Amino acid sequence: MKDYILEVCVDSVESAKAAVQGGADRLELCANLVIGGTTPGVSQFNQIRKACDVPINVLIRPRYGDFLYTDHEFQMISEDAQMYRNLGADGIVVGFLKPDGDLDMERLKVLREKAGTGNMTLHRAFDVCRDPYRSLKEAIEAGVDTILTSGQQNTCMEGKKLLGELMEQAAGQIDILVGSGVNVDAIACLMDEIDARCFHMSGKTIVDSGMIYRKENVNMGIPGIGEYDIFRTEEEQIRRAKRLMEEKECLRKNV
């Protein structure tokens, strides 16, 4: 197993291929990355699975918003998790909270069974839980392999202090996957200052739509996001991040 991992979050075949060409060690596949990600479509997964030869973890999140799910929503999550494992996903990415802000351990354990021998990541529901230290301990008890977190802040740089404390508490029992605002500068800082080894980034850039005719003043989605702006992973951003991680690992091993 590698001493470090660069996971890239993608929501299209084009982004997945760019991420792998740039050197991604693993993909997190979702839909609607612009709103934080939701469960992807089956055909999307199948195309990426054929096109990319790296592990793929699938986000299972039925909607935008909080992580307090109804029984119907949880049934959807359970069925989708099982489906993607059957289709060949290497892992699932999930998260559940109770109304008081604690992890929903009962539901986490159900999904641990659905994941089987595959990887299970607790996503950034962790970043809005009530007690991160308790939740880290409970995640380990539930059999979670990885926690994706920004240190309970909007970006990983803002959450640097807590990230370091979580890594120390984890002591190798669970991977702390650093996310939100991850770029080359953040990776350099966090590898040096808190010895972070696992990073999650999208490396996205805005690609202009190929549409020539453009209807003005009609918005189909979230106000403020252009209808003709397409978010895609940029291969070169991933390549620079991977190169930096490799260089720092070599330096660390040669010290």
Side-chain angles (χ1 to χ4, degrees):
M1 188 173 181
K2 286 186 175 181
D3 292 329
Y4 65 90
I5 188 149
L6 179 61
E7 177 180 275
V8 180
C9 187
V10 300
D11 63 358
S12 68
V13 180
E14 293 79 6
S15 288
K17 291 171 69 174
V20 172
Q21 289 165 3
D25 299 301
R26 184 172 71 206
L27 301 177
E28 183 200 285
L29 174 60
C30 67
N32 302 309
L33 185 55
V34 71
I35 57 171
T38 56
T39 306
V42 172
S43 58
Q44 178 187 12
F45 171 81
N46 286 337
Q47 287 193 51
I48 292 174
R49 179 75 287 174
K50 291 176 183 177
C52 301
D53 60 355
V54 300
I56 301 174
N57 290 345
V58 178
L59 175 66
I60 311 296
R61 185 186 181 208
R63 59 165 171 79
Y64 169 80
D66 66 28
F67 306 104
L68 177 64
Y69 295 112
T70 67
D71 290 341
H72 292 300
E73 289 172 331
F74 182 66
Q75 184 64 31
M76 292 165 59
I77 292 169
S78 298
E79 292 180 8
D80 284 347
Q82 186 65 64
M83 175 185 67
Y84 277 111
R85 285 292 293 139
N86 293 343
L87 287 171
D90 297 280
I92 58 173
V93 183
V94 296
F96 314 99
L97 295 178
K98 296 190 291 186
D100 64 1
D102 287 339
L103 290 182
D104 190 326
M105 289 290 285
E106 182 178 344
R107 287 180 166 180
L108 271 180
K109 289 176 180 178
V110 170
L111 267 292
R112 177 65 268 179
E113 292 182 10
K114 298 290 183 183
T117 58
N119 184 275
M120 179 173 167
T121 296
L122 170 60
H123 59 45
R124 291 187 66 211
F126 180 89
D127 281 329
V128 290
C129 74
R130 183 170 58 87
D131 184 341
Y133 308 104
R134 173 181 172 178
S135 293
L136 171 58
K137 180 180 178 182
E138 290 180 336
I140 294 171
E141 292 173 359
V144 172
D145 301 290
T146 303
I147 296 175
L148 171 60
T149 175
S150 61
Q152 295 206 322
Q153 298 293 328
N154 286 324
T155 70
C156 60
M157 291 302 294
E158 293 173 285
K160 178 174 62 175
K161 181 177 183 295
L162 178 58
L163 285 169
E165 292 171 354
L166 293 171
M167 291 178 62
E168 184 176 353
Q169 181 182 339
Q173 299 174 83
I174 192 170
D175 286 335
I176 302 299
L177 179 63
V178 177
S180 189
V182 172
N183 55 30
V184 170
D185 291 339
I187 291 172
C189 174
L190 296 178
M191 288 188 80
D192 287 343
E193 294 190 18
I194 64 171
D195 201 30
R197 289 283 173 268
C198 301
F199 293 92
H200 169 101
M201 66 183 293
S202 64
K204 61 180 177 289
T205 190
I206 297 176
V207 177
D208 191 40
S209 166
M211 287 295 298
I212 297 173
Y213 173 75
R214 302 188 179 195
K215 187 72 173 181
E216 300 296 331
N217 303 317
V218 179
N219 193 287
M220 297 292 176
I222 300 173
I225 298 179
E227 298 295 333
Y228 303 102
D229 291 340
I230 300 171
F231 292 87
R232 291 271 168 79
T233 295
E234 185 176 47
E235 180 180 335
E236 185 56 29
Q237 289 191 52
I238 307 306
R239 181 173 290 109
R240 290 198 301 267
K242 182 63 176 291
R243 184 184 302 124
L244 174 69
M245 293 175 73
E246 289 177 334
E247 290 172 353
K248 286 190 171 294
E249 281 298 306
C250 286
L251 287 173
R252 184 177 70 90
K253 290 178 179 178
N254 291 330
V255 170

